[in-house]
Amino acid sequence: MGPGTQKHRRNGVKTIRLTAAQAMVRYLTVQYNADDVPFFGGCWAIFGHGNVAGIGEALHGIGDALPTWRAHNEQGMAHAAIAYAKASNRKRAMAVTTSIGPGATNMVTAAALAHVNRLPVLLIPGDVFANRAPDPVLQQIEDFGDATISANDCFKPVSRYFDRISRPEHLLTALPRAMATLTDPADCGPVTLAFCQDVQAQAYDWPESFFAPKTWKPRRPRPDLDELAAAVAAIKAAKNPMIIAGGGVHYADACATLRDFAHKHGMGVGETQAGKSALPWDDDLNLGSIGVTGASSANSVAENADLIIAIGTRLQDFTTGSWSLFKNPDRRILGINITGFDGSKHNALPLIGDAKIVLSDLSDALGDYCAKRPDAHLKAEWIAAVDAATTTPKGNALPTDAQVIGAVQRSLDEDGIIVCAAGGLPGELHKLWKTAKPNGYHVEYGYSCMGYEIAGGLGVKMARPDQDVVVMVGDGSYMMMNSELATSVMLGHKIITVILDNRGFACINRLQMATGGASFNNLLDTARHVEPSAIDFTSHAASMGAIAEKVSSIAELEQAMVRARAADKSYAIVIDTDPLPSTEAGGNWWDVAIPEVSVRPSVNEAHKNYQNALKNQRPGD
């Protein structure tokens, strides 16, 4: 009889004999979301000695019930899994397994990214031998004062739930706890199950009931009545309220509810990076992006607002201009959030609950109340500035990031999805990209992780296979992690990658110069070198199986985008861009500490300006 066919009774309970790893993967296959769709879309795996025998055999045996995807980099495959969850609005997730040692620690960055962005991913790194017989096993770190420590303890501060599986029966409690965390709207985030490699292979008589299918329906808590009453009073007392829409609007399926609320009650909406596309770009009350990379329309309203209704956002410094954006001395914050932690930040008036339910209840309680709508000229002036920045350049000058964005925008229909992460592109996209539908904008800026882009694009495509997915990535991020372009080809998940080659880390170079410093160690030509850098991105992308071409103008880029959309596999387009310009319209100050003492006059002047700017900052208020 094969594994899993041996059935017994223990204390009158029907049991089935499986290894711990077999039990884990079988359990994962019977977890469902509220749409009766399997919660797990598969398991990414790079095998090593810490997981190949136990988890590897279990995944092979479970087959298509939990498809196994092979990648080229552990961090990359975890990014793909996280992007899949984000593109699914947290309704689905993936598991990721690695060996112990470097395979595991390669995922720590991805775990931090998921933690910051409140996104579900199940990380299953192999761990040391629970029986300690072969200690120290290959790749095992040794803590001189604590024998229970392994490299996987690095995951503890970046996991919402962490457990070490050192006995098979630990899974009986660990897996339900993991699922509760992955599906909880407030506690959602990465789960790490460090799975001792000898335990993976150990057999145990599992209760058959453990493998009964289970549906996890999202919790939608209603607001506390006292908090609701206080919120209504605050809104009715406000003269200039505005809304900030964060990622929680998407995860609560509250985009339509938000739109109805804004129009009924006459409030303008500014969007965070995670919240962008909550409203269509051309909605009269969509004021555009907010904060450091914000639209002049949204930031102007925010400066004067006396009540900021923050919905589903953690109010990070790019959203608040390092807490210098809201200049009204009487301003208050109303924090509508599923978590008390985020809803109470900076002395906010908390209104804790599900965004969709809260907005509906709040609207009912407000009745016919309607604020003074924001000046329509603000939005019109901003869109004119966007169009000016993204228009096709004249002459032979290298195009700016904004002009490349314009070309890509014109080349896509309303169903296209743009993917990006770190560097200067997210700021330009936040300002300039016009998104018509929810989830058409997928930019990871909570952790601002270079290298997320291509792997993230793959995960988005797996979640939304019928839509064009376009990854915009600078040469710096491309060089950090590009291997999952080959994975996209191998798996047949076509993505279009537009590589903007400005020959270095141009975004941080601009920041360096803006803070009084010299251009130093960021652009390739001015960094210390013996041989000038001459990376052939076209050949590199082609070597991984993608169709690749280099274009020399915006017009050629638009023509290449037509070919890319018609192609049947992943496509890479390379274009040289100017490293220095960024969109000057909009924006807000950002707190970047400048040295108090320097031999450079430019740094001293920048520090003087910095001290003046700090006067607008209201931390803790």
Side-chain angles (χ1 to χ4, degrees):
M1 302 174 72
T5 61
Q6 301 175 43
K7 297 186 178 183
H8 307 277
R9 282 187 177 271
R10 185 176 59 197
N11 298 329
V13 175
K14 292 182 179 180
T15 63
I16 183 170
R17 191 162 183 80
L18 301 166
T19 69
Q22 289 165 349
M24 178 187 69
V25 298
R26 181 173 292 204
Y27 179 89
L28 298 183
T29 64
V30 294
Q31 309 307 305
Y32 293 86
N33 65 21
D35 298 324
D36 287 328
V37 174
F39 182 75
F40 288 98
C43 181
W44 288 96
I46 292 180
F47 294 129
H49 72 91
N51 67 341
V52 67
I55 295 176
E57 173 64 14
L59 288 170
H60 178 270
I62 209 69
D64 289 341
L66 185 70
T68 300
W69 313 110
R70 184 200 182 281
H72 292 86
N73 179 285
E74 290 90 356
Q75 183 185 148
M77 65 183 183
H79 285 332
I82 294 163
Y84 178 90
K86 178 178 172 68
S88 303
N89 285 337
R90 304 198 305 195
K91 292 181 174 64
R92 302 193 74 195
M94 286 184 171
V96 187
T97 180
T98 70
S99 181
I100 72 168
T105 54
N106 277 351
M107 289 199 298
V108 173
T109 295
L113 184 151
H115 194 288
V116 166
N117 289 287
R118 286 41 168 177
L119 293 170
V121 61
L122 177 59
L123 306 174
I124 314 168
D127 211 318
V128 299
F129 276 67
N131 65 22
R132 303 187 185 177
D135 281 11
V137 70
L138 179 65
Q139 299 178 328
Q140 179 179 348
I141 67 164
E142 295 178 276
D143 187 293
F144 295 171
D146 187 345
T148 67
I149 294 289
S150 83
N152 287 330
D153 286 87
C154 295
F155 286 96
K156 288 182 176 179
V158 290
S159 297
R160 284 297 217 174
Y161 175 71
F162 176 93
D163 207 341
R164 178 169 280 111
I165 310 303
S166 55
R167 292 179 62 91
E169 57 266 41
H170 286 177
L171 291 175
L172 292 169
T173 51
L175 285 173
R177 289 172 183 172
M179 285 301 304
T181 301
L182 293 170
T183 59
D184 188 283
D187 292 337
C188 186
V191 168
T192 301
L193 300 181
F195 209 155
C196 291
Q197 55 187 291
D198 53 337
V199 177
Q200 295 174 28
Q202 291 174 4
Y204 182 77
D205 292 326
W206 305 87
E208 282 192 346
S209 59
F210 187 59
F211 305 109
K214 182 168 183 178
T215 298
W216 298 83
K217 294 184 178 180
R219 185 178 295 111
R220 290 190 177 274
R222 305 199 84 90
D224 175 83
L225 293 180
D226 289 338
E227 289 186 354
L228 182 64
V232 170
I235 292 173
K236 288 186 174 181
K239 297 178 180 178
N240 299 301
M242 81 166 296
I243 295 168
I244 297 178
V249 174
H250 292 284
Y251 304 146
D253 291 327
C255 293
T257 308
L258 171 61
R259 187 175 185 177
D260 292 343
F261 181 93
H263 280 270
K264 179 181 176 182
H265 303 295
M267 297 183 195
V269 179
E271 296 178 320
T272 70
Q273 284 280 14
K276 192 172 171 76
S277 78
L279 296 185
W281 74 271
D282 56 354
D283 188 290
D284 291 344
L285 290 177
N286 186 346
L287 299 172
S289 56
I290 192 164
V292 175
T293 54
S296 59
S297 45
N299 283 354
S300 176
V301 173
E303 287 180 1
N304 296 310
D306 57 352
L307 182 68
I308 295 94
I309 305 173
I311 308 174
T313 170
R314 61 193 187 94
L315 293 175
Q316 63 135 306
D317 63 342
F318 254 64
T319 299
T320 66
S322 299
W323 292 100
S324 71
L325 177 59
F326 312 122
K327 294 182 172 60
N328 190 319
D330 298 322
R331 73 108 168 99
R332 301 181 71 188
I333 298 171
L334 172 62
I336 298 176
N337 209 289
I338 194 70
T339 71
F341 180 87
D342 289 324
S344 302
K345 285 178 177 173
H346 288 266
N347 294 321
L349 187 68
L351 185 54
I352 307 305
D354 174 79
K356 187 174 184 177
I357 298 296
V358 168
L359 284 173
S360 180
D361 288 355
L362 186 57
S363 184
D364 290 343
L366 285 170
D368 295 331
Y369 165 85
C370 188
K372 182 181 178 181
R373 289 174 175 259
D375 186 347
H377 288 95
L378 293 173
K379 173 72 176 287
E381 290 171 0
W382 174 248
I383 295 302
V386 169
D387 292 341
T390 55
T391 192
T392 301
K394 297 179 180 179
N396 297 319
L398 287 175
T400 64
D401 290 353
Q403 290 162 347
V404 173
I405 288 170
V408 175
Q409 178 90 73
R410 292 187 293 272
S411 303
L412 282 179
D413 58 31
E414 291 186 346
D415 289 324
I417 302 174
I418 196 73
V419 179
C420 192
L425 279 170
E428 296 289 83
L429 286 164
H430 194 210
K431 285 183 178 182
L432 305 173
W433 192 260
K434 298 174 179 177
T435 312
K437 298 180 179 180
N439 300 111
Y441 182 86
H442 184 116
V443 173
E444 191 291 299
Y445 210 59
Y447 206 51
S448 183
C449 185
M450 297 180 73
Y452 173 89
E453 297 89 345
I454 291 173
L458 172 58
V460 172
K461 186 67 176 181
M462 295 177 80
R464 298 180 176 268
D466 297 328
Q467 293 174 257
D468 283 328
V469 175
V470 178
V471 175
M472 294 192 70
V473 60
D475 58 301
S477 279
Y478 180 91
M479 288 298 291
M480 282 200 175
M481 189 177 299
N482 50 60
S483 56
E484 305 324 326
L485 181 58
T487 307
S488 75
V489 174
M490 180 177 69
L491 295 178
H493 294 298
K494 174 196 163 187
I495 59 174
I496 300 171
T497 302
V498 180
I499 304 165
L500 291 78
D501 184 4
N502 54 33
R503 294 156 302 287
F505 301 141
C507 172
I508 208 68
N509 183 71
R510 290 193 294 268
L511 179 61
Q512 188 175 49
M513 296 173 69
T515 54
S519 177
F520 173 65
N521 201 49
N522 284 311
L523 300 183
L524 292 168
D525 291 341
T526 57
R528 191 172 306 209
H529 64 274
V530 175
E531 289 285 338
S533 177
I535 303 166
D536 186 343
F537 292 102
T538 310
S539 296
H540 185 270
S543 74
M544 291 191 286
I547 303 170
E549 63 174 298
K550 184 169 184 176
V551 298
S552 59
S553 69
I554 291 296
E556 289 185 11
L557 172 58
E558 293 190 42
Q559 294 164 6
M561 282 293 299
V562 174
R563 293 188 288 273
R565 292 188 64 192
D568 59 0
K569 69 174 180 176
S570 290
Y571 207 104
I573 305 170
V574 183
I575 185 168
D576 291 337
T577 57
D578 191 330
L580 296 180
S582 61
T583 301
E584 294 182 1
N588 189 80
W589 176 78
W590 183 38
D591 192 345
V592 178
I594 298 174
E596 291 188 43
V597 179
S598 175
V599 296
R600 287 180 192 276
S602 59
V603 174
N604 294 327
E605 181 65 22
H607 181 263
K608 180 180 177 180
N609 295 334
Y610 173 69
Q611 291 298 312
N612 288 330
L614 285 174
K615 296 174 183 178
N616 292 321
Q617 196 175 45
R618 296 169 61 179
D621 175 19

